[in-house]
C-alpha cells in the first residue's frame, strides 16, 4: 500500500537503445518476465512514476517502457517540431514491434493516453488492450483546473517559458531541491494523502532537469491533438481510470471517454489526483489484473 514514508525502488532494469520514428535514438527500459506490457508515460514522467505500481505489477509481466524523444535518456529529433502525438505514437509502435510477436497490454498515463490511443488506432493487432489512466484522448488543456481559459492561456505561456528556458530550469531545479516541497503539495491537495512522497520528490528532481524548450514545444503539439472523434474506432478492450481530485482532468471527461470507446470499462477512484499511480498502486494493480483475466483471457498471477 502506498505510504508517505519510504520510496518504492524500481526493480532491476535492462536498458536498451532503439531506433524510433525518423531515426530518433530511444531509451528503452525493460524489467520482469511474463506477459508483455508496454507503458506510455506522461509528459515529463519517467519510468520512476510507476515504481510503487511496478513493485506489485512487475510480478508475472515483462514490462517495457521508453522515454519520449528529447526527454530523459532519449535523443532529440533532428526537427525540433517533430514532437507531435503522432510522432510519439509512431515511436510507441516501434517499441511494440520490438517487444515481440505477442500483442502487448498498453498502460498509459496522462499524455500517454493520447499516444496509446493513436497507436491502437494505427496498429490494433499490436495491442492486446488499453488501460488509460488520468488522461484525455484529446483537447487535454481544456480540463486544466476545470477552466475553459486553460486552452487559451497555456499555449502562449509555453512560448514565454521556452524563451527563458535557462532561468526557468534553474528556478525549477531549486524548487525541486526543497526537502519539504512534496509535503507542501500534499497539504495543498495537489497529491493525495496516500502519495509516495519520496518517489514523487525523486521524480520531481528528474523532471526539473529536462530540456524545457523541447518540453514546451511538446505541450503545444499535445494541445493540438484530438482523437476524441475517433474513439468509436478503438477495437481493443479498454479500461479508463481516473480520480475525483484530478486538477488536470475532470471526471466528466473520464466518463465521456469510457462512453465513447466501445465496451470500455470505467474506474473512478475517490480522492485520487493526477498522480494516481503514486497514490493507489495496489488498487491499480488489482484492477488491471482483473481486467487482464476478464477481458484479455490472461490468468491472474499470485502476488
Amino acid at each position: 500500500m502506498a505510504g508517505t514514508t519510504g520510496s518504492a525502488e524500481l526493480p532491476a532494469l535492462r536498458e536498451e537503445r532503439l531506433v524510433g520514428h525518423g531515426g530518433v535514438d530511444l531509451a528503452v527500459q525493460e524489467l520482469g518476465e511474463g506477459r508483455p506490457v508496454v507503458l506510455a508515460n506522461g509528459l515529463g514522467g519517467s519510468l520512476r512514476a510507476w515504481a510503487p505500481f511496478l513493485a506489485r505489477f512487475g510480478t508475472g509481466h515483462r514490462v517495457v517502457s521508453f522515454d519520449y524523444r528529447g526527454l530523459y535518456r532519449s535523443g532529440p529529433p533532428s526537427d525540433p517540431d517533430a514532437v507531435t502525438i503522432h510522432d510519439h505514437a509512431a515511436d510507441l509502435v516501434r517499441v511494440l514491434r520490438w517487444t515481440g510477436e505477442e500483442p502487448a497490454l498498453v498502460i498509459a498515463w496522462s499524455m500517454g493516453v493520447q499516444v496509446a490511443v493513436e497507436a491502437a488506432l494505427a496498429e490494433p493487432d499490436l495491442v492486446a488492450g488499453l488501460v488509460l489512466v488520468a488522461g484525455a484522448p484529446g483537447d487535454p488543456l481544456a480540463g486544466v483546473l476545470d477552466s475553459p481559459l486553460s486552452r487559451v492561456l497555456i499555449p502562449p505561456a509555453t512560448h514565454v517559458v521556452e524563451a527563458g528556458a535557462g532561468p526557468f530550469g534553474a528556478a525549477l531545479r531549486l524548487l525541486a531541491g526543497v526537502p519539504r516541497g512534496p509535503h507542501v503539495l500534499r497539504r495543498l491537495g495537489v497529491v493525495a494523502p496516500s502519495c509516495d512522497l519520496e518517489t514523487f520528490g525523486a521524480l520531481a528532481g528528474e523532471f526539473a532537469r529536462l530540456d524545457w524548450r523541447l518540453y514546451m514545444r511538446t505541450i503545444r503539439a499535445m494541445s493540438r491533438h484530438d482523437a476524441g472523434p475517433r474513439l468509436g474506432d478503438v477495437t481493443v478492450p479498454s479500461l479508463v481510470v481516473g480520480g475525483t481530485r484530478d486538477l488536470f482532468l475532470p471526471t466528466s471527461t473520464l466518463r465521456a471517454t469510457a462512453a465513447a470507446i466501445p465496451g470500455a470499462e470505467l474506474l473512478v477512484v475517490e480522492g485520487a489526483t493526477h498522480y494516481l499511480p503514486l497514490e493507489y498502486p495496489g488498487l491499480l494493480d488489482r484492477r488491471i489484473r482483473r481486467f487482464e483475466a476478464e477481458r484479455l483471457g490472461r490468468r491472474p498471477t499470485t502476488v
Side-chain angles (χ1 to χ4, degrees):
M1 182 174 181
T4 56
T5 60
S7 175
E9 294 296 329
L10 283 168
L13 299 177
R14 301 184 291 277
E15 297 275 358
E16 304 284 350
R17 308 303 298 188
L18 182 66
V19 178
H21 175 63
V24 169
D25 176 36
L26 293 179
V28 178
Q29 305 90 40
E30 183 182 17
L31 60 93
E33 303 290 343
R35 301 180 294 259
V37 174
V38 174
L39 301 178
N41 297 318
L43 175 59
S46 69
L47 183 63
R48 187 178 298 278
W50 300 96
F53 169 71
L54 291 176
R56 300 157 172 80
F57 191 75
T59 302
H61 297 93
R62 176 189 172 210
V63 179
V64 175
S65 181
F66 70 104
D67 296 330
Y68 291 126
R69 45 183 56 209
L71 301 181
Y72 298 106
R73 292 170 299 281
S74 284
S78 56
D79 177 0
D81 289 320
V83 287
T84 69
I85 294 298
H86 289 280
D87 290 318
H88 296 306
D91 289 338
L92 174 55
V93 167
R94 295 285 179 96
V95 173
L96 286 166
R97 292 192 188 282
W98 174 85
T99 299
E101 296 182 0
E102 182 182 350
L105 172 65
V106 178
I107 304 177
W109 172 48
S110 194
M111 187 190 81
V113 167
Q114 295 172 265
V115 176
V117 166
E118 284 295 344
L121 286 169
E123 299 286 350
D125 291 344
L126 300 178
V127 180
L130 291 173
V131 178
L132 309 177
V133 182
D139 199 12
L141 300 185
V144 176
L145 299 177
D146 206 12
S147 171
L149 291 176
S150 298
R151 63 157 67 95
V152 177
L153 298 177
I154 292 177
T158 66
H159 286 284
V160 175
V161 174
E162 186 177 352
F168 178 83
L172 202 59
R173 288 190 292 275
L174 284 174
L175 289 173
V178 176
R180 298 293 297 176
H183 295 269
V184 173
L185 293 177
R186 182 176 62 186
R187 285 198 296 271
L188 292 174
V190 177
V191 296
S194 61
C195 184
D196 183 330
L197 293 187
E198 289 193 28
T199 301
F200 182 87
L203 185 65
E206 293 179 345
F207 176 73
R209 295 190 292 272
L210 293 178
D211 179 341
W212 292 103
R213 293 179 178 87
L214 200 65
Y215 185 90
M216 294 302 153
R217 288 174 180 264
T218 306
I219 287 181
R220 293 196 295 274
M222 173 185 74
S223 72
R224 294 189 292 267
H225 169 262
D226 189 1
R230 292 175 289 130
L231 290 180
D233 296 330
V234 174
T235 58
V236 301
S238 302
L239 170 64
V240 178
V241 183
T244 60
R245 293 176 52 204
D246 191 331
L247 298 177
F248 301 96
L249 185 68
T251 54
S252 58
T253 300
L254 284 174
R255 297 185 187 281
T257 299
I261 299 175
E265 300 178 21
L266 174 65
L267 171 64
V268 178
V269 182
E270 185 66 34
T273 76
H274 199 63
Y275 299 95
L276 191 152
L278 285 170
E279 297 166 346
Y280 296 94
L283 185 153
L284 192 60
D285 168 58
R286 292 189 298 274
R287 186 61 184 87
I288 294 177
R289 287 180 186 274
R290 189 178 118 198
F291 175 74
E292 286 186 293
E294 295 177 354
R295 300 294 301 277
L296 307 186
R298 295 177 168 183
R299 296 181 62 185
T301 301
T302 302
V303 296

